[in-house]
Amino acid sequence: MKRINIKNIYYYVTVSIVIFYSSVNAQWIETNGPFSSEVHTLTVSGTNLFAGTNDGVFRSTNNGTNWNAVGKGSLFPPSVVSFAVYFTNLFAGTSDAGVFLSTNDGTSWTAVNKGGLANTSVRALAFSGRNLFAGTSGNGVFLSTNYGTCWTRVNNGLPINTYVRALAVSGSNIFAGTSGDGVFLSTNNGTNWTKVNSGLTNTYVRTLVFSGTNLLAGTLDNGVFLSTNNGTSWTNTGLTNTTVNTFVVSGTDLFAGTSSGVFLSTNNGTSWIAASNGLTSITVIALTVSGTNLFAGTSSGGVFLSTNNGTSWIAADTGLANTYVRSLAISGTNLFAGTSGDIPVFLSTNNGTSWTSASTGLTNTGVISFAVSGTNLFAGTNAGGVFLSTNNGTSWTTTGTEFINSYVSAFAVSGTNLFAVINGGISLSTNNGTNWTSVDAGIMNSVNAIVVLGANLFAGTFGGGVFLSTNYGNSWTAASTGFTSTTVSSFSVYGTKLFAGSYSDGVFLSTNYGISWTKVNTGLTNTNVNALAVSGTNLFAGTDGGGVFLSTNNGTSWTAVNTGLMIPFVSSLAISGTDLFVGNFGGGVWRRSLSEMITGVEDQSNEIPSQFILEQNYPNPFNPSTTIKFQVPNASFVNLKVYDVLGKEVATLVNEEKPVGNYEINWNASNLSSGMYLYKLQVGNFVETKKMILMK
């Protein structure tokens, strides 16, 4: 049956913790351009930084060191005032020429204004899932469900001739900030809007942003207003007597660009401090974050850069020429990334720090799935069938000539049996892919995912739920009792627990081999689940637009773990050693230490450390206790102290010689006030610092 799938002698060691508002003293430096009188908007797409200006679009590929005009002549008039990024698609809203689309990093642009976009002054752009919304000056909001090919005006409940300056999305909620009419909320993709202005004493809203679950509104002359209940009520946050033009969130830090410079909040907008040292042009119109770099676009001074705003996720893309990562695989100490591009497979042997091509023999095809079986690595492609490498990706050969032009979306391995989802059906090979046999009789739907649990093989389908085979695919029975979604995107196994991710209805759990299922979604604010991964008793879910979520209780509750993850469209997850890797649609590969996210990571106390290491505290933010781990590879004198903001010592946690080993210290800060902390490990000339936040 052939179907197309839709879809690491003595040292004196000092470990100190200092309360320190590092971003307050953030030094800004002016970047070399762009050369325009006013920068209206900034955005990041992959490794590119874009600036929308009075003179069109400028692009920097080296963090603002150099800028070049892109697409010159194709945008007319050239004033670009808004951006939106969806995977590799970059949309630009202009002051009076509508919306333009670039699919090649701004090199060329195409107008996408036809089909109903009645107002061409587009002040705001935002994606909600795959829906693109445009806020206009005078005609409210327009919606496109096909990347700008067609537009529909969605203004029911909005005042006539509404000027929409800002859009913000949280789950299924879409907020529109207007000039003079305040904030409106739609819970149905813009079909209907409701005014949510109680306590919002200034209704001239210039920008909106979510920081955690808090919604912030920047206004004309009256600073920032905060809502903790989706706009039902608002309070002024104390950043008053200034016009707020833009917001950006970087980890737990919230920045506001105003007519008086940049301000920082470390408590979701409750209070603010100035962060403008080095800014010679204080009217900040645009802000964006790229990795650890914070960029500010100004009205007359171009773009400024601050490099001391650290994040928890780090990009792991050096040498990774293709950033559209569809799949990840771990084989021993090797990490493989399957991409869509001319170089379909990349290999990293250093935990993602750098990548090299591993594609010899793989030509003109994208890799969307992997399987590891002993020393064999299999790659499933989007148009070339199955490939096999027996030398860690150094070279590849095709397997199964009957599927040489096929779409291979998933694998499962059981002993010497290799199962593959090929063109939406399931096939079995018992000889490393040389020959294949169809084993999907009884499944009438296209298959998206497969997994082996004990002697059972499970298939997740598009539109038909879950199917079970107890005889290697010779026969199948429906196994969807309690599974309310018909489309299954992913599986993961822990012991006898089987987790299934669905597209639209979140995560389900079966503890009885698929006989029945229970939805486990509390706290999972994005239920479009593309990938699942298990680390001990911890379950991670990668979503389409909501980033990564963590559950430490078998899915009973979930917490977002997205600090620093710039692009929330997750295609794949992989766990290697102490790190979780994310494959991203258009954003490459990202890495984060499990210990930053999981409070119960197993302590490797039996392992002899090879170097001094200071780990990130966890949890972080914390209230009121947190754990600090460090490693001592040689007998050393360790001093661990706590200081207040004036440098006064308030606690001594460790002040003694320690033998070789792994250590963790629990610090209770219940007698201290909220704030940002900088803790420091110093061994001779070796110094490492990390920050943490006490949030009461």
Side-chain angles (χ1 to χ4, degrees), residues 443-463:
I443 302 178
M444 302 308 297
N445 302 83
S446 290
V447 178
N448 291 325
I450 51 177
V451 72
V452 173
L453 175 57
N456 302 303
L457 177 63
F458 292 88
T461 71
F462 182 82

mmCIF file of all heavy atoms in Angstrom, residues 443-463:
data_model
loop_
_atom_site.group_PDB
_atom_site.id
_atom_site.type_symbol
_atom_site.label_atom_id
_atom_site.label_comp_id
_atom_site.label_asym_id
_atom_site.label_seq_id
_atom_site.Cartn_x
_atom_site.Cartn_y
_atom_site.Cartn_z
ATOM 1 N N ILE A 443 -4.460 -1.168 8.332
ATOM 2 C CA ILE A 443 -4.358 0.261 8.636
ATOM 3 C C ILE A 443 -4.765 1.035 7.385
ATOM 4 O O ILE A 443 -4.086 0.972 6.363
ATOM 5 C CB ILE A 443 -2.930 0.650 9.053
ATOM 6 C CG1 ILE A 443 -2.472 -0.163 10.264
ATOM 7 C CG2 ILE A 443 -2.865 2.144 9.374
ATOM 8 C CD1 ILE A 443 -1.056 0.147 10.694
ATOM 9 N N MET A 444 -5.861 1.729 7.481
ATOM 10 C CA MET A 444 -6.391 2.411 6.301
ATOM 11 C C MET A 444 -5.965 3.872 6.215
ATOM 12 O O MET A 444 -6.367 4.573 5.296
ATOM 13 C CB MET A 444 -7.928 2.321 6.305
ATOM 14 C CG MET A 444 -8.451 0.897 6.331
ATOM 15 S SD MET A 444 -7.712 -0.156 5.024
ATOM 16 C CE MET A 444 -8.302 0.693 3.562
ATOM 17 N N ASN A 445 -5.166 4.344 7.194
ATOM 18 C CA ASN A 445 -4.741 5.742 7.206
ATOM 19 C C ASN A 445 -3.233 5.855 7.022
ATOM 20 O O ASN A 445 -2.493 4.906 7.275
ATOM 21 C CB ASN A 445 -5.118 6.407 8.540
ATOM 22 C CG ASN A 445 -6.595 6.332 8.822
ATOM 23 O OD1 ASN A 445 -7.068 5.309 9.326
ATOM 24 N ND2 ASN A 445 -7.327 7.389 8.521
ATOM 25 N N SER A 446 -2.779 7.021 6.578
ATOM 26 C CA SER A 446 -1.347 7.267 6.473
ATOM 27 C C SER A 446 -0.709 7.252 7.851
ATOM 28 O O SER A 446 -1.255 7.806 8.809
ATOM 29 C CB SER A 446 -1.077 8.622 5.813
ATOM 30 O OG SER A 446 -1.420 8.594 4.451
ATOM 31 N N VAL A 447 0.462 6.636 7.951
ATOM 32 C CA VAL A 447 1.147 6.480 9.234
ATOM 33 C C VAL A 447 2.180 7.590 9.416
ATOM 34 O O VAL A 447 2.968 7.887 8.505
ATOM 35 C CB VAL A 447 1.832 5.099 9.322
ATOM 36 C CG1 VAL A 447 2.579 4.947 10.642
ATOM 37 C CG2 VAL A 447 0.797 3.993 9.162
ATOM 38 N N ASN A 448 2.160 8.215 10.599
ATOM 39 C CA ASN A 448 3.118 9.274 10.920
ATOM 40 C C ASN A 448 4.254 8.808 11.810
ATOM 41 O O ASN A 448 5.383 9.303 11.699
ATOM 42 C CB ASN A 448 2.423 10.437 11.642
ATOM 43 C CG ASN A 448 1.477 11.193 10.751
ATOM 44 O OD1 ASN A 448 1.739 11.338 9.567
ATOM 45 N ND2 ASN A 448 0.380 11.663 11.305
ATOM 46 N N ALA A 449 3.971 7.891 12.756
ATOM 47 C CA ALA A 449 4.954 7.517 13.771
ATOM 48 C C ALA A 449 4.818 6.041 14.116
ATOM 49 O O ALA A 449 3.713 5.483 14.084
ATOM 50 C CB ALA A 449 4.762 8.366 15.031
ATOM 51 N N ILE A 450 5.936 5.410 14.454
ATOM 52 C CA ILE A 450 5.923 4.022 14.898
ATOM 53 C C ILE A 450 6.881 3.870 16.078
ATOM 54 O O ILE A 450 7.856 4.617 16.209
ATOM 55 C CB ILE A 450 6.318 3.036 13.780
ATOM 56 C CG1 ILE A 450 7.630 3.450 13.109
ATOM 57 C CG2 ILE A 450 5.211 2.902 12.748
ATOM 58 C CD1 ILE A 450 8.104 2.474 12.045
ATOM 59 N N VAL A 451 6.592 2.889 16.952
ATOM 60 C CA VAL A 451 7.447 2.636 18.112
ATOM 61 C C VAL A 451 7.272 1.197 18.556
ATOM 62 O O VAL A 451 6.208 0.592 18.340
ATOM 63 C CB VAL A 451 7.101 3.596 19.280
ATOM 64 C CG1 VAL A 451 5.769 3.228 19.929
ATOM 65 C CG2 VAL A 451 8.214 3.640 20.319
ATOM 66 N N VAL A 452 8.316 0.646 19.175
ATOM 67 C CA VAL A 452 8.280 -0.710 19.700
ATOM 68 C C VAL A 452 8.268 -0.652 21.223
ATOM 69 O O VAL A 452 9.063 0.067 21.836
ATOM 70 C CB VAL A 452 9.493 -1.527 19.215
ATOM 71 C CG1 VAL A 452 9.533 -2.887 19.902
ATOM 72 C CG2 VAL A 452 9.441 -1.697 17.701
ATOM 73 N N LEU A 453 7.343 -1.364 21.839
ATOM 74 C CA LEU A 453 7.259 -1.504 23.289
ATOM 75 C C LEU A 453 7.148 -2.984 23.603
ATOM 76 O O LEU A 453 6.109 -3.605 23.349
ATOM 77 C CB LEU A 453 6.062 -0.740 23.850
ATOM 78 C CG LEU A 453 5.796 -0.895 25.353
ATOM 79 C CD1 LEU A 453 7.015 -0.492 26.180
ATOM 80 C CD2 LEU A 453 4.579 -0.071 25.763
ATOM 81 N N GLY A 454 8.232 -3.561 24.118
ATOM 82 C CA GLY A 454 8.237 -4.995 24.350
ATOM 83 C C GLY A 454 8.084 -5.738 23.038
ATOM 84 O O GLY A 454 8.824 -5.506 22.086
ATOM 85 N N ALA A 455 7.097 -6.623 22.982
ATOM 86 C CA ALA A 455 6.820 -7.368 21.753
ATOM 87 C C ALA A 455 5.752 -6.691 20.911
ATOM 88 O O ALA A 455 5.274 -7.270 19.927
ATOM 89 C CB ALA A 455 6.377 -8.788 22.098
ATOM 90 N N ASN A 456 5.382 -5.462 21.265
ATOM 91 C CA ASN A 456 4.299 -4.766 20.585
ATOM 92 C C ASN A 456 4.829 -3.656 19.683
ATOM 93 O O ASN A 456 5.767 -2.938 20.037
ATOM 94 C CB ASN A 456 3.335 -4.157 21.606
ATOM 95 C CG ASN A 456 2.755 -5.190 22.541
ATOM 96 O OD1 ASN A 456 2.137 -6.157 22.101
ATOM 97 N ND2 ASN A 456 2.969 -5.006 23.837
ATOM 98 N N LEU A 457 4.212 -3.526 18.532
ATOM 99 C CA LEU A 457 4.526 -2.462 17.590
ATOM 100 C C LEU A 457 3.326 -1.538 17.487
ATOM 101 O O LEU A 457 2.205 -2.002 17.244
ATOM 102 C CB LEU A 457 4.857 -3.044 16.211
ATOM 103 C CG LEU A 457 5.138 -2.059 15.072
ATOM 104 C CD1 LEU A 457 6.377 -1.221 15.369
ATOM 105 C CD2 LEU A 457 5.305 -2.817 13.749
ATOM 106 N N PHE A 458 3.542 -0.235 17.698
ATOM 107 C CA PHE A 458 2.460 0.739 17.633
ATOM 108 C C PHE A 458 2.662 1.661 16.432
ATOM 109 O O PHE A 458 3.796 2.029 16.095
ATOM 110 C CB PHE A 458 2.401 1.579 18.904
ATOM 111 C CG PHE A 458 1.981 0.806 20.123
ATOM 112 C CD1 PHE A 458 2.921 0.147 20.891
ATOM 113 C CD2 PHE A 458 0.647 0.734 20.489
ATOM 114 C CE1 PHE A 458 2.548 -0.575 22.012
ATOM 115 C CE2 PHE A 458 0.261 0.018 21.606
ATOM 116 C CZ PHE A 458 1.208 -0.647 22.375
ATOM 117 N N ALA A 459 1.559 2.006 15.813
ATOM 118 C CA ALA A 459 1.561 2.928 14.680
ATOM 119 C C ALA A 459 0.635 4.095 14.987
ATOM 120 O O ALA A 459 -0.522 3.900 15.364
ATOM 121 C CB ALA A 459 1.101 2.218 13.403
ATOM 122 N N GLY A 460 1.139 5.303 14.837
ATOM 123 C CA GLY A 460 0.320 6.501 14.980
ATOM 124 C C GLY A 460 -0.011 7.048 13.612
ATOM 125 O O GLY A 460 0.887 7.234 12.784
ATOM 126 N N THR A 461 -1.245 7.307 13.346
ATOM 127 C CA THR A 461 -1.691 7.650 12.000
ATOM 128 C C THR A 461 -2.173 9.087 11.862
ATOM 129 O O THR A 461 -2.358 9.800 12.853
ATOM 130 C CB THR A 461 -2.823 6.709 11.548
ATOM 131 O OG1 THR A 461 -4.014 7.030 12.286
ATOM 132 C CG2 THR A 461 -2.444 5.255 11.769
ATOM 133 N N PHE A 462 -2.376 9.463 10.616
ATOM 134 C CA PHE A 462 -2.983 10.744 10.293
ATOM 135 C C PHE A 462 -4.476 10.515 10.084
ATOM 136 O O PHE A 462 -4.895 9.966 9.065
ATOM 137 C CB PHE A 462 -2.351 11.333 9.032
ATOM 138 C CG PHE A 462 -2.877 12.678 8.647
ATOM 139 C CD1 PHE A 462 -2.394 13.815 9.256
ATOM 140 C CD2 PHE A 462 -3.862 12.800 7.680
ATOM 141 C CE1 PHE A 462 -2.868 15.069 8.916
ATOM 142 C CE2 PHE A 462 -4.357 14.043 7.325
ATOM 143 C CZ PHE A 462 -3.857 15.179 7.954
ATOM 144 N N GLY A 463 -5.258 10.884 11.086
ATOM 145 C CA GLY A 463 -6.702 10.768 10.964
ATOM 146 C C GLY A 463 -7.317 9.507 11.512
ATOM 147 O O GLY A 463 -8.540 9.402 11.590
#
